[in-house]
Amino acid sequence: MTNITATEQRVLDQIDSDGMLKFLAELVGYQSFGAHEDEAQRRIAHAMSDSGLEVDVWDIDFATLQQHPGFSWEIERTSGLGVVGTLGSDRGGRSLILNGHIDVVPEGDHANWSHHPWQGQIVDGRMYGRGALDMKGGLVAALWAVRAIHNAGIQLNGRLHLQSVIGEEDGGCGTLASIVRGYTADAAIIPEPTRMAIAPAQAGAHNVRITVYGLSAHGCYREEGVSAIEKYMVIHQALVALEARRNASMRHPLFANYHLPYPLSIGTVRAGNWPSSVAEELIAEGRYGIGIGEDSNAARREFEQAVAEAAASDPWLRDHPPLIEWWGGTFEPAETDVNHPIVGTLADAHQVLGGEVAIEGMTYGADMRLLVIHGGIPTVMYGPGDVRLAHKPDESVPVADLIHVARTLALTAMRFIGYSA
């Protein structure tokens, strides 16, 4: 554990916690979902400029980006902004990217919230609101870390890039656009909610759609029809068994704390077209967990084989096989060597500031895989709050975590890049 120098303490003293929380509350107010991220992107670009960063804002060329092998999305966009702020210059030091996404998921039914989803509110030491946790909180903590370095008058020996990206929730088009634009570095940190654990690995997840066919009939003579709902249950039981087999066979030390590190979850089911008719079709959509180091094509074939075997066991499904489509967000797994300097530097900074170090993998898909696979950038995730509270009512993040992460990122950036007063 390395002690904090007087210069580093000067930077830590520049982190304005009240200002950070005020800006986060404002940013939560932007309803940046469903391809409506531009307004929030302009706001954070302005905040970067006010923080002393050189800011690059550009219109993303989606027509060209869609030709990239790493491209995927669920929400089609006709326009979108890339935003990257840079501090420092090339003086022989290393470079570092801090990457955070501005987009969020929809808030759902307001009646399920105790606090307004679009008004960042602090209650009992937690900031509430859609995106406060996932992940405007981490993005703002990163901005305030960079801001403190600038305000303290520190000269970095290399470049520190802060990326605010769109489209992470549905495939990562914003981070991919930053890579294509030429932004690279010796390492990257994504302040996703990891409970402040350092995550050098993220599991993968592929979106999948299953269409099951039945035979319609009047509900009063339902035995003359074939319910796609009932036939789907045959398939679903096979998927449950597949999930169990895969998670029992694919074990990784960074995922030792998880019973299901690679979940197979069906999230939506739509069936039938009339209440008094036998359902002639069912469409189920979900996410299929991909293991660290696993060949994604082989994993897809295993899924398809499990469905085919289940269908072969049923006379109707054997003659009317389900249709499987791989669509939307494609999150590959990714891993960074735990011995890479960014892991050690981050762990030391977190610990010297009073945190207990935990190093583990994250089971959710994230933009880490784009930076690692397509950017060639060793990347870890480390951020405030618990992802279990994301994508649900009363999403919130601990204020103490936000402050600790901002301080840790500032210290990590200085030590990894190198600096002079």
Side-chain angles (χ1 to χ4, degrees):
M1 184 168 66
T2 307
N3 293 329
I4 297 172
T5 68
T7 300
E8 291 169 344
Q9 187 60 53
R10 192 169 82 241
V11 171
L12 297 176
D13 291 341
Q14 284 291 329
I15 295 177
D16 172 19
S17 301
D18 290 340
M20 178 177 66
L21 296 173
K22 181 179 179 181
F23 181 69
L24 175 55
E26 178 189 346
L27 205 61
V28 168
Y30 288 86
Q31 299 182 30
S32 50
F33 68 88
H36 299 291
E37 301 118 325
D38 285 2
E39 189 177 0
Q41 282 288 74
R42 292 189 185 95
R43 179 65 185 95
I44 201 159
H46 182 73
M48 287 182 184
S49 180
D50 283 349
S51 301
L53 282 70
E54 180 181 340
V55 184
D56 180 17
V57 180
W58 73 96
D59 292 311
I60 297 174
D61 180 358
F62 288 107
T64 300
L65 197 65
Q66 288 180 67
Q67 307 309 310
H68 194 284
F71 179 84
S72 69
W73 65 7
E74 297 170 30
I75 302 170
E76 292 191 12
R77 295 167 173 82
T78 57
S79 66
L81 297 177
V83 175
V84 177
T86 300
L87 188 68
S89 58
D90 188 3
R91 301 169 63 222
R94 291 182 291 205
S95 54
L96 179 66
I97 288 171
L98 303 178
N99 170 291
H101 64 86
I102 199 76
D103 61 306
V104 300
V105 299
E107 76 279 25
D109 188 347
H110 285 213
N112 293 325
W113 288 73
S114 302
H115 308 280
H116 196 290
W118 303 114
Q119 295 175 3
Q121 298 174 305
I122 297 177
V123 180
D124 295 331
R126 305 184 70 89
M127 172 76 77
Y128 286 83
R130 176 58 84 224
L133 171 73
D134 183 20
M135 63 165 292
K136 291 176 180 178
L139 177 58
V140 171
L143 173 57
W144 250 247
V146 180
R147 182 187 185 103
I149 294 171
H150 172 266
N151 289 348
I154 302 301
Q155 298 295 314
L156 294 174
N157 293 338
R159 289 185 172 86
L160 175 58
H161 302 293
L162 176 59
Q163 300 178 343
S164 178
V165 300
I166 67 173
E168 188 274 347
E169 295 288 358
D170 67 293
C173 62
T175 290
L176 187 61
S178 295
I179 294 170
V180 171
R181 188 131 174 116
Y183 286 102
T184 186
D186 293 303
I189 301 172
I190 304 177
E192 287 273 12
T194 66
R195 308 180 314 281
M196 295 191 294
I198 297 168
Q202 61 134 104
H206 288 197
N207 276 18
V208 64
R209 178 184 296 122
I210 308 168
T211 303
V212 179
Y213 303 101
L215 177 65
S216 187
H218 195 291
C220 71
Y221 286 102
R222 75 174 187 85
E223 72 274 13
E224 296 183 6
V226 178
S227 171
I229 298 172
E230 294 175 11
K231 294 305 176 183
Y232 168 72
M233 295 309 297
V234 176
I235 303 300
H236 189 81
Q237 291 305 312
L239 297 181
V240 171
L242 173 64
E243 178 190 55
R245 289 197 306 272
R246 286 172 53 77
N247 281 274
S249 64
M250 293 190 298
R251 305 307 300 176
H252 189 290
L254 290 176
F255 293 84
N257 293 330
Y258 296 95
H259 173 62
L260 289 176
Y262 313 116
L264 195 172
S265 175
I266 299 299
T268 66
V269 176
R270 303 183 299 277
N273 52 43
W274 192 254
S276 60
S277 296
V278 175
E280 64 181 2
E281 183 180 86
L282 179 145
I283 299 174
E285 295 176 339
R287 56 96 74 193
Y288 177 48
I290 309 294
I292 301 296
E294 183 178 21
D295 179 87
S296 296
N297 290 326
R300 287 185 174 190
R301 288 194 296 271
E302 186 177 4
F303 183 99
E304 292 165 357
Q305 182 64 28
V307 173
E309 290 176 358
S313 70
D314 181 275
W316 173 266
L317 292 174
R318 186 166 54 245
D319 293 335
H320 304 83
L323 172 66
I324 297 174
E325 300 171 272
W326 300 98
W327 68 285
T330 302
F331 295 82
E332 298 293 344
E335 185 176 16
T336 293
D337 189 339
V338 294
N339 295 312
H340 190 278
I342 191 58
V343 177
T345 305
L346 180 57
D348 186 63
H350 175 78
Q351 187 173 36
V352 77
L353 290 169
E356 183 176 343
V357 175
I359 299 178
E360 61 185 68
M362 293 294 123
T363 60
Y364 52 83
D367 279 355
M368 173 182 172
R369 97 281 183 189
L370 293 170
L371 294 167
V372 171
I373 297 171
H374 298 288
I377 305 167
T379 304
V380 298
M381 295 191 290
Y382 164 85
D386 190 337
V387 74
R388 290 179 176 87
L389 300 179
H391 295 209
K392 63 189 299 185
D394 286 341
E395 175 181 346
S396 67
V397 61
V399 168
D401 281 18
L402 292 167
I403 296 170
H404 188 93
V405 167
R407 290 164 58 85
T408 301
L409 292 178
L411 194 56
T412 300
M414 293 173 66
R415 291 180 173 183
F416 184 79
I417 297 171
Y419 65 90
S420 59

